[in-house]
Amino acid sequence: MPATYEPIATTTLTTTAASIEFTSITSAYTDLRLIAFLRTNRGGGAAADALRGLLNGGSSTSGTFVNGNGSTASSARHTASWLFNSVGTLGSTAISIACATQATGIFSLLEMDIFNYSSTSVNKTLLASCSSDFNGSGYVQKYVGMNASTSAITSIYLASANGNSFIAGCTATLYGILKA
Amino acid sequence: MTLQNFTLGTFSQGGVAGGAFESIASASGTGSSGVITFSSIPSNYQHLQIRLISRASAGGNNIRITFNGDTTASYARHSLGGNGSSANTGGQISVTYMEFDDFTADSSAGANVVAAGIIDIHDYASTTKNKTVRGVGAFDNNGSGSLKMMSGLWVNTSAITSITLTHSASNFTTASQFALYGIKGA
């Protein structure tokens, strides 16, 4: 029997990559938890990059954001699309992550919990937090997503919404949490 | 750990031993009750965490939390959240329960939609500290939805031995699942 809280898989990039993906996820747990440190190579002076993802390869996730950028608190939403929205507006309708504009060594922290991910009787609700502090700018964001499918989650895909690549040093670990 | 008062909902005891994060117990909604209680909670952990998905049989989006059967005006709570249009904040003091908003999807939500939440109770077994609680709960209904970050306080230095989660207006459906975990200190 699996342990109550244990790592399923870890990805650490040693070179740039267009995506980070977990596939063939076991159904043995109750919840999934993803913890990732992310930064892309988006340049051009962009304030940040936008993150998007897919669950089971499908774009049927809608979401609600709560955002803070150091001066304004806001809330926004997107209807069924990619996880975290297809593109969106930084700090509003997009999960905003560090890019080449930021000083070397600055990454964003993404945490995401997917509840009862292997259930075949409920749509999948997930809670995510993204913390991006760039020492003078940044974003703190909370997100609730609803994947409108009762299928068990077997894959998670993350990528830049602007077609950029994750850089070497990005890490992502998927954990399984098992209830009694 | 003994099991008591679990006639409401379907309850199981167990857990996989080992590690700092252990499963203590879990419960399911029945559709005919709006109350879930974890009782006889052991004192050998540092913190507790409840992880849940929840849907109500009728209206109401909130879960009310009480400890050790205390229903006196000993609770406070504050919230920061958003509804997809604007951010919001609120608070209550000296109330008879800690109300955590948007931890339940109600029956008007689309089929199979559930809210999700995580509730952390820190130093729950301390007999010198009042109890601080942190929570995040939310639901999204593809065009509507709400997310809330909550803080709560139980003005009582007793160790927590039971936790009662009560729906604010109706019952927890059978889709509702609640799991209690213990987090060990060093």
mmCIF file of all heavy atoms in Angstrom, chain A residues 103-124:
data_model
loop_
_atom_site.group_PDB
_atom_site.id
_atom_site.type_symbol
_atom_site.label_atom_id
_atom_site.label_comp_id
_atom_site.label_asym_id
_atom_site.label_seq_id
_atom_site.Cartn_x
_atom_site.Cartn_y
_atom_site.Cartn_z
ATOM 1 N N ALA A 103 16.093 38.838 -12.537
ATOM 2 C CA ALA A 103 17.482 38.532 -12.219
ATOM 3 C C ALA A 103 17.697 37.024 -12.196
ATOM 4 O O ALA A 103 16.795 36.243 -11.884
ATOM 5 C CB ALA A 103 17.844 39.127 -10.857
ATOM 6 N N THR A 104 18.901 36.646 -12.527
ATOM 7 C CA THR A 104 19.257 35.232 -12.526
ATOM 8 C C THR A 104 18.952 34.608 -11.175
ATOM 9 O O THR A 104 19.219 35.200 -10.122
ATOM 10 C CB THR A 104 20.755 35.071 -12.849
ATOM 11 O OG1 THR A 104 21.009 35.645 -14.131
ATOM 12 C CG2 THR A 104 21.140 33.601 -12.875
ATOM 13 N N GLY A 105 18.403 33.410 -11.234
ATOM 14 C CA GLY A 105 18.156 32.690 -9.984
ATOM 15 C C GLY A 105 16.775 32.915 -9.406
ATOM 16 O O GLY A 105 16.439 32.324 -8.383
ATOM 17 N N ILE A 106 15.972 33.761 -10.023
ATOM 18 C CA ILE A 106 14.613 33.972 -9.539
ATOM 19 C C ILE A 106 13.662 33.050 -10.283
ATOM 20 O O ILE A 106 13.587 33.072 -11.514
ATOM 21 C CB ILE A 106 14.185 35.442 -9.717
ATOM 22 C CG1 ILE A 106 14.992 36.336 -8.770
ATOM 23 C CG2 ILE A 106 12.687 35.591 -9.450
ATOM 24 C CD1 ILE A 106 14.654 37.809 -8.867
ATOM 25 N N PHE A 107 12.970 32.236 -9.535
ATOM 26 C CA PHE A 107 11.981 31.305 -10.068
ATOM 27 C C PHE A 107 10.648 31.580 -9.382
ATOM 28 O O PHE A 107 10.594 32.142 -8.295
ATOM 29 C CB PHE A 107 12.393 29.852 -9.804
ATOM 30 C CG PHE A 107 13.560 29.368 -10.636
ATOM 31 C CD1 PHE A 107 14.846 29.821 -10.397
ATOM 32 C CD2 PHE A 107 13.360 28.461 -11.660
ATOM 33 C CE1 PHE A 107 15.922 29.383 -11.156
ATOM 34 C CE2 PHE A 107 14.430 28.007 -12.427
ATOM 35 C CZ PHE A 107 15.704 28.471 -12.176
ATOM 36 N N SER A 108 9.590 31.145 -9.992
ATOM 37 C CA SER A 108 8.269 31.197 -9.379
ATOM 38 C C SER A 108 7.954 29.853 -8.746
ATOM 39 O O SER A 108 8.393 28.801 -9.224
ATOM 40 C CB SER A 108 7.201 31.513 -10.424
ATOM 41 O OG SER A 108 7.399 32.813 -10.948
ATOM 42 N N LEU A 109 7.197 29.895 -7.647
ATOM 43 C CA LEU A 109 6.773 28.671 -6.956
ATOM 44 C C LEU A 109 5.322 28.390 -7.270
ATOM 45 O O LEU A 109 4.455 29.228 -6.979
ATOM 46 C CB LEU A 109 6.956 28.825 -5.448
ATOM 47 C CG LEU A 109 6.315 27.750 -4.563
ATOM 48 C CD1 LEU A 109 6.898 26.385 -4.854
ATOM 49 C CD2 LEU A 109 6.491 28.110 -3.091
ATOM 50 N N LEU A 110 5.060 27.258 -7.866
ATOM 51 C CA LEU A 110 3.699 26.813 -8.157
ATOM 52 C C LEU A 110 3.382 25.609 -7.270
ATOM 53 O O LEU A 110 4.155 24.670 -7.202
ATOM 54 C CB LEU A 110 3.559 26.398 -9.625
ATOM 55 C CG LEU A 110 2.204 25.796 -10.008
ATOM 56 C CD1 LEU A 110 1.149 26.892 -10.107
ATOM 57 C CD2 LEU A 110 2.285 25.024 -11.319
ATOM 58 N N GLU A 111 2.263 25.680 -6.576
ATOM 59 C CA GLU A 111 1.745 24.530 -5.829
ATOM 60 C C GLU A 111 0.331 24.266 -6.327
ATOM 61 O O GLU A 111 -0.459 25.188 -6.463
ATOM 62 C CB GLU A 111 1.698 24.826 -4.327
ATOM 63 C CG GLU A 111 3.049 25.107 -3.705
ATOM 64 C CD GLU A 111 2.910 25.549 -2.260
ATOM 65 O OE1 GLU A 111 2.532 26.703 -2.031
ATOM 66 O OE2 GLU A 111 3.166 24.724 -1.360
ATOM 67 N N MET A 112 0.042 23.000 -6.583
ATOM 68 C CA MET A 112 -1.280 22.667 -7.086
ATOM 69 C C MET A 112 -1.748 21.368 -6.451
ATOM 70 O O MET A 112 -1.021 20.382 -6.454
ATOM 71 C CB MET A 112 -1.264 22.523 -8.611
ATOM 72 C CG MET A 112 -2.612 22.154 -9.213
ATOM 73 S SD MET A 112 -2.631 22.254 -11.020
ATOM 74 C CE MET A 112 -1.619 20.844 -11.459
ATOM 75 N N ASP A 113 -2.957 21.392 -5.892
ATOM 76 C CA ASP A 113 -3.587 20.196 -5.334
ATOM 77 C C ASP A 113 -4.763 19.811 -6.214
ATOM 78 O O ASP A 113 -5.634 20.647 -6.467
ATOM 79 C CB ASP A 113 -4.088 20.455 -3.912
ATOM 80 C CG ASP A 113 -2.958 20.615 -2.910
ATOM 81 O OD1 ASP A 113 -2.520 19.583 -2.384
ATOM 82 O OD2 ASP A 113 -2.527 21.751 -2.675
ATOM 83 N N ILE A 114 -4.799 18.575 -6.655
ATOM 84 C CA ILE A 114 -5.937 18.038 -7.397
ATOM 85 C C ILE A 114 -6.605 17.000 -6.502
ATOM 86 O O ILE A 114 -6.003 16.011 -6.114
ATOM 87 C CB ILE A 114 -5.508 17.387 -8.730
ATOM 88 C CG1 ILE A 114 -4.660 18.349 -9.550
ATOM 89 C CG2 ILE A 114 -6.739 16.964 -9.519
ATOM 90 C CD1 ILE A 114 -4.112 17.754 -10.838
ATOM 91 N N PHE A 115 -7.855 17.267 -6.168
ATOM 92 C CA PHE A 115 -8.565 16.481 -5.166
ATOM 93 C C PHE A 115 -9.328 15.314 -5.806
ATOM 94 O O PHE A 115 -9.984 15.475 -6.822
ATOM 95 C CB PHE A 115 -9.541 17.379 -4.401
ATOM 96 C CG PHE A 115 -8.854 18.458 -3.603
ATOM 97 C CD1 PHE A 115 -8.398 19.607 -4.218
ATOM 98 C CD2 PHE A 115 -8.651 18.319 -2.238
ATOM 99 C CE1 PHE A 115 -7.736 20.604 -3.495
ATOM 100 C CE2 PHE A 115 -8.003 19.302 -1.508
ATOM 101 C CZ PHE A 115 -7.548 20.441 -2.139
ATOM 102 N N ASN A 116 -9.251 14.177 -5.138
ATOM 103 C CA ASN A 116 -9.970 12.976 -5.588
ATOM 104 C C ASN A 116 -9.771 12.783 -7.090
ATOM 105 O O ASN A 116 -10.739 12.575 -7.837
ATOM 106 C CB ASN A 116 -11.436 13.068 -5.201
ATOM 107 C CG ASN A 116 -11.625 13.001 -3.693
ATOM 108 O OD1 ASN A 116 -11.340 13.954 -2.984
ATOM 109 N ND2 ASN A 116 -12.075 11.859 -3.202
ATOM 110 N N TYR A 117 -8.521 12.835 -7.498
ATOM 111 C CA TYR A 117 -8.178 12.873 -8.914
ATOM 112 C C TYR A 117 -8.526 11.587 -9.660
ATOM 113 O O TYR A 117 -8.675 11.614 -10.882
ATOM 114 C CB TYR A 117 -6.686 13.166 -9.084
ATOM 115 C CG TYR A 117 -5.810 11.983 -8.723
ATOM 116 C CD1 TYR A 117 -5.257 11.170 -9.703
ATOM 117 C CD2 TYR A 117 -5.570 11.659 -7.391
ATOM 118 C CE1 TYR A 117 -4.472 10.083 -9.375
ATOM 119 C CE2 TYR A 117 -4.798 10.564 -7.050
ATOM 120 C CZ TYR A 117 -4.247 9.782 -8.044
ATOM 121 O OH TYR A 117 -3.484 8.695 -7.713
ATOM 122 N N SER A 118 -8.629 10.484 -8.945
ATOM 123 C CA SER A 118 -8.919 9.225 -9.623
ATOM 124 C C SER A 118 -10.391 8.843 -9.536
ATOM 125 O O SER A 118 -10.791 7.793 -10.048
ATOM 126 C CB SER A 118 -8.056 8.100 -9.046
ATOM 127 O OG SER A 118 -8.358 7.894 -7.685
ATOM 128 N N SER A 119 -11.203 9.722 -8.951
ATOM 129 C CA SER A 119 -12.639 9.461 -8.899
ATOM 130 C C SER A 119 -13.232 9.486 -10.292
ATOM 131 O O SER A 119 -12.808 10.271 -11.144
ATOM 132 C CB SER A 119 -13.322 10.523 -8.028
ATOM 133 O OG SER A 119 -14.728 10.472 -8.187
ATOM 134 N N THR A 120 -14.216 8.635 -10.522
ATOM 135 C CA THR A 120 -14.934 8.648 -11.803
ATOM 136 C C THR A 120 -16.373 9.115 -11.612
ATOM 137 O O THR A 120 -17.232 8.889 -12.477
ATOM 138 C CB THR A 120 -14.899 7.255 -12.444
ATOM 139 O OG1 THR A 120 -15.445 6.310 -11.520
ATOM 140 C CG2 THR A 120 -13.480 6.849 -12.817
ATOM 141 N N SER A 121 -16.634 9.783 -10.477
ATOM 142 C CA SER A 121 -18.000 10.254 -10.230
ATOM 143 C C SER A 121 -18.093 11.766 -10.033
ATOM 144 O O SER A 121 -19.211 12.291 -9.944
ATOM 145 C CB SER A 121 -18.592 9.536 -9.008
ATOM 146 O OG SER A 121 -17.813 9.783 -7.858
ATOM 147 N N VAL A 122 -16.965 12.457 -9.934
ATOM 148 C CA VAL A 122 -17.006 13.913 -9.780
ATOM 149 C C VAL A 122 -16.097 14.567 -10.808
ATOM 150 O O VAL A 122 -15.109 13.964 -11.258
ATOM 151 C CB VAL A 122 -16.586 14.376 -8.368
ATOM 152 C CG1 VAL A 122 -17.572 13.865 -7.325
ATOM 153 C CG2 VAL A 122 -15.164 13.947 -8.039
ATOM 154 N N ASN A 123 -16.436 15.782 -11.205
ATOM 155 C CA ASN A 123 -15.494 16.612 -11.952
ATOM 156 C C ASN A 123 -14.318 16.929 -11.021
ATOM 157 O O ASN A 123 -14.463 16.921 -9.803
ATOM 158 C CB ASN A 123 -16.154 17.900 -12.421
ATOM 159 C CG ASN A 123 -17.207 17.669 -13.465
ATOM 160 O OD1 ASN A 123 -17.249 16.601 -14.076
ATOM 161 N ND2 ASN A 123 -18.060 18.653 -13.676
ATOM 162 N N LYS A 124 -13.193 17.244 -11.573
ATOM 163 C CA LYS A 124 -11.995 17.425 -10.749
ATOM 164 C C LYS A 124 -11.812 18.903 -10.401
ATOM 165 O O LYS A 124 -11.677 19.753 -11.295
ATOM 166 C CB LYS A 124 -10.752 16.883 -11.438
ATOM 167 C CG LYS A 124 -10.891 15.412 -11.895
ATOM 168 C CD LYS A 124 -11.339 14.492 -10.765
ATOM 169 C CE LYS A 124 -11.560 13.075 -11.272
ATOM 170 N NZ LYS A 124 -12.772 12.936 -12.101
#
